[in-house]
Amino acid sequence: MSDGLVVEKHSSPASLFLSDGRVVEARLFLADYAQTHGGPQTVRDLIEEPGDALPALDAEGEFLLILKAAVSAASVVPTELDLEGYWHETPAVLRLLGGHRIDGQLLADDGSGERLSDVVNHADRWLRLRRPDELIWVRKSSLVTARSPEA
């Protein structure tokens, strides 16, 4: 039974990189307003909310619950909010739990340092990796290795 409070949400496509090696194409349900900052809810916000599972629709439109702890990374179409406040990019090749290999430009906060080790060791629990037309939120606890593309 509902208490009458409803939060309007819209579906947003995402590719979820899971710790078992699968990539799940899904539609996640995001609120127009985030609980922790001004602006719309991001996929990262949704994963960080209390609760163990993400409600989603799979590629066939079937309802699916995905354990949040199993999400190593989430690829989305970037929004202005996802990209604001970053001052430099650091090229990187990341290897995640499940064997996922993701390469692109790590977005780093001003003051976090420009070396790959500075960006990875920054206090935030998530990394943001930019590719053309895509932003990938990477959970640091799922990171196995990080290296420069030239290495």
Side-chain angles (χ1 to χ4, degrees):
M1 208 164 179
S2 174
D3 61 5
L5 298 177
V6 175
V7 176
E8 291 292 322
K9 295 196 174 199
H10 63 277
S11 71
S12 181
S15 298
L16 302 176
F17 296 79
L18 303 182
S19 59
D20 67 358
R22 291 181 297 148
V23 177
V24 174
E25 300 300 326
R27 295 198 68 80
L28 302 176
F29 300 99
L30 303 174
D32 291 334
Y33 301 98
Q35 295 177 3
T36 57
H37 59 81
Q41 184 180 42
T42 65
V43 169
R44 174 192 167 176
D45 296 331
L46 182 63
I47 294 171
E48 291 288 317
E49 280 184 352
D52 293 331
L54 292 172
L57 295 178
D58 67 14
E60 289 77 38
E62 297 293 323
F63 181 75
L64 176 68
L65 286 174
I66 301 168
L67 187 66
K68 290 179 181 181
V71 178
S72 295
S75 171
V76 298
V77 176
T79 66
E80 287 182 31
L81 181 64
D82 291 327
L83 300 175
E84 76 180 10
Y86 295 96
W87 298 94
H88 63 274
E89 297 181 355
T90 302
V93 178
L94 307 179
R95 186 68 75 168
L96 308 179
L97 293 176
H100 303 290
R101 180 185 187 274
I102 303 174
D103 61 328
Q105 301 291 321
L106 285 174
L107 302 180
D109 288 320
D110 186 30
S112 67
E114 294 191 23
R115 298 176 306 169
L116 181 58
S117 60
D118 296 331
V119 177
V120 171
N121 287 318
H122 192 260
D124 198 347
R125 296 187 319 195
W126 291 83
L127 298 170
R128 290 169 191 85
L129 188 126
R130 187 183 60 76
R131 294 167 127 176
D133 303 320
E134 172 181 40
L135 178 80
I136 303 174
W137 293 93
V138 178
R139 187 190 305 263
K140 278 192 195 175
S141 62
S142 295
L143 186 64
V144 177
T145 62
R147 66 175 176 80
S148 296
E150 305 83 38

